[in-house]
Amino acid sequence: MEGPTEISSNKMFEGFNRRYKHYSPTLGCDMTFSIFFPPASVSKKVPVLYWLSGLTCTDENFIVKSGAQRAASKESVALVAPDTSPRGLNVEGESDSWDFGVGAGFYLNATQGKWANWRMYDYVVDELPKLLSSHFHQLDTANASIFGHSMGGHGALTVFFKNQNKYKSVSAFAPIVNPIDCPWGQKAFLNYLGDNKSSWEEYDATYLVKKCNGLSKTILIDQGEEDKFLHNQLLPHKFEEACKIANVPLTLRLQPGYDHSFFFIATFIDEHIEHHSKALHAS
């Protein structure tokens, strides 16, 4: 596997934000990703916390806006933020709308025609961890957790449910938890996966949680009550009901006055990193 090239490096809270570029065989194009290395990574391997971003984002939004590095430095956890879709493939229509195509990979493996390279699920679950393991000796990639926001919250939950042996914990900010029943998800699934709706269930957290058979790991979700997407796109109460049926522990915190933005994420990010640190440092 060809190694990544460093694009930039910035010191922060005694650690370093570093951004990389590499060619992805899975996606068929160059991809970028960002890593925050906490200061502890100088002397020992540190666990990995993957962040999956939302619609229109790149790997940089979270790194620049969230302020997550303060807690990650304190908790000795590396942050890894991939991009949200392939870029530069010049697929017809890939940039026609903000909620589909470029910047909107939905962390699934597309099956339909021209979208066949949209395989962000395989990239996040398989290719990127192998790349990190091969080229970054500071990272304990076998000790990992995952979280995200909006479309990325959807991605974090579905990736976790389908790979519980790979991740110690999961959390999300304002996730799209029931994409089968919301406009964003229906648009993405129809175009990426086709009209066989049974295949859609494989990327819907509200369906997947029902297969968990009494998962013991608590899921943490923060949701702003003033989020304009709450009632027609995000649907957290449907997921809450599914967790109760499946006997899966969920902490769903509805935060008064907060919206869908990075102001909301930055307010509660430390608590999410502490949530994951407990799981990552438990062994």
Side-chain angles (χ1 to χ4, degrees), residues 49-52 146-158 160-161 169-177 205 218-224 227 234 236 239 250-255 260 264-265 268-269 271-273 275-276:
L49 179 54
Y50 293 95
W51 170 268
L52 304 185
I146 191 165
F147 67 155
H149 171 233
S150 196
M151 178 186 71
H154 141 77
L157 290 167
T158 55
F160 175 81
F161 290 143
S169 53
V170 64
S171 73
F173 292 84
I176 305 170
V177 291
T218 299
I219 300 165
L220 173 61
I221 293 178
D222 274 308
Q223 172 64 61
D227 189 326
L234 305 177
F239 182 68
L250 168 68
T251 300
L252 172 60
R253 307 191 305 190
L254 299 176
Q255 304 292 0
H260 199 70
F264 159 60
I265 294 170
F268 301 103
I269 193 68
E271 294 170 48
H272 281 248
I273 291 176
H275 166 81
H276 292 293

Side-chain angles (χ1 to χ4, degrees), residues 158-180:
T158 55
V159 164
F160 175 81
F161 290 143
K162 292 160 73 74
N163 301 274
Q164 292 177 45
N165 61 320
K166 290 189 176 185
Y167 305 97
K168 300 293 179 63
S169 53
V170 64
S171 73
F173 292 84
I176 305 170
V177 291
N178 191 200
I180 285 177

Side-chain angles (χ1 to χ4, degrees), residues 235-247:
L235 314 176
H237 295 298
K238 289 193 174 184
F239 182 68
E240 184 179 35
E241 291 169 7
C243 286
K244 289 178 180 177
I245 293 170
N247 194 30

Side-chain angles (χ1 to χ4, degrees), residues 205-225:
T206 298
Y207 283 84
L208 290 173
V209 74
K210 298 173 184 177
K211 303 178 182 181
C212 284
N213 298 319
L215 178 74
S216 61
K217 302 170 183 176
T218 299
I219 300 165
L220 173 61
I221 293 178
D222 274 308
Q223 172 64 61
E225 288 189 339

Side-chain angles (χ1 to χ4, degrees), residues 77-263:
V77 171
L79 302 172
V80 175
D83 204 346
T84 53
S85 78
R87 294 180 191 267
L89 291 174
N90 298 317
V91 173
E92 182 184 2
E94 67 177 15
S95 299
D96 286 355
S97 56
W98 66 272
D99 57 356
F100 178 78
V102 171
F106 269 84
Y107 305 101
L108 50 72
N109 287 336
T111 60
Q112 299 303 297
K114 64 183 181 181
W115 303 110
N117 284 76
W118 258 249
R119 301 182 63 84
M120 288 301 296
Y121 177 88
D122 279 353
Y123 179 77
V124 168
V125 173
D126 295 320
E127 183 180 336
L128 184 57
K130 289 177 182 176
L131 182 78
L132 298 178
S133 179
S134 297
H135 297 283
F136 298 97
H137 64 86
Q138 315 97 313
L139 304 181
D140 182 5
T141 54
N143 190 15
S145 290
I146 191 165
F147 67 155
H149 171 233
S150 196
M151 178 186 71
H154 141 77
L157 290 167
T158 55
V159 164
F160 175 81
F161 290 143
K162 292 160 73 74
N163 301 274
Q164 292 177 45
N165 61 320
K166 290 189 176 185
Y167 305 97
K168 300 293 179 63
S169 53
V170 64
S171 73
F173 292 84
I176 305 170
V177 291
N178 191 200
I180 285 177
D181 288 332
C182 80
W184 280 339
Q186 291 165 352
K187 179 178 181 178
F189 287 3
L190 182 61
N191 284 280
Y192 289 140
L193 302 174
D195 58 8
N196 180 3
K197 293 190 177 181
S198 63
S199 67
W200 296 12
E201 294 180 7
E202 289 301 308
Y203 299 105
D204 188 304
T206 298
Y207 283 84
L208 290 173
V209 74
K210 298 173 184 177
K211 303 178 182 181
C212 284
N213 298 319
L215 178 74
S216 61
K217 302 170 183 176
T218 299
I219 300 165
L220 173 61
I221 293 178
D222 274 308
Q223 172 64 61
E225 288 189 339
E226 297 303 314
D227 189 326
K228 65 181 180 180
F229 305 116
L230 173 58
H231 299 295
N232 68 328
Q233 301 279 17
L234 305 177
L235 314 176
H237 295 298
K238 289 193 174 184
F239 182 68
E240 184 179 35
E241 291 169 7
C243 286
K244 289 178 180 177
I245 293 170
N247 194 30
V248 169
L250 168 68
T251 300
L252 172 60
R253 307 191 305 190
L254 299 176
Q255 304 292 0
Y258 286 92
D259 58 16
H260 199 70
S261 71
F262 269 92
F263 298 112

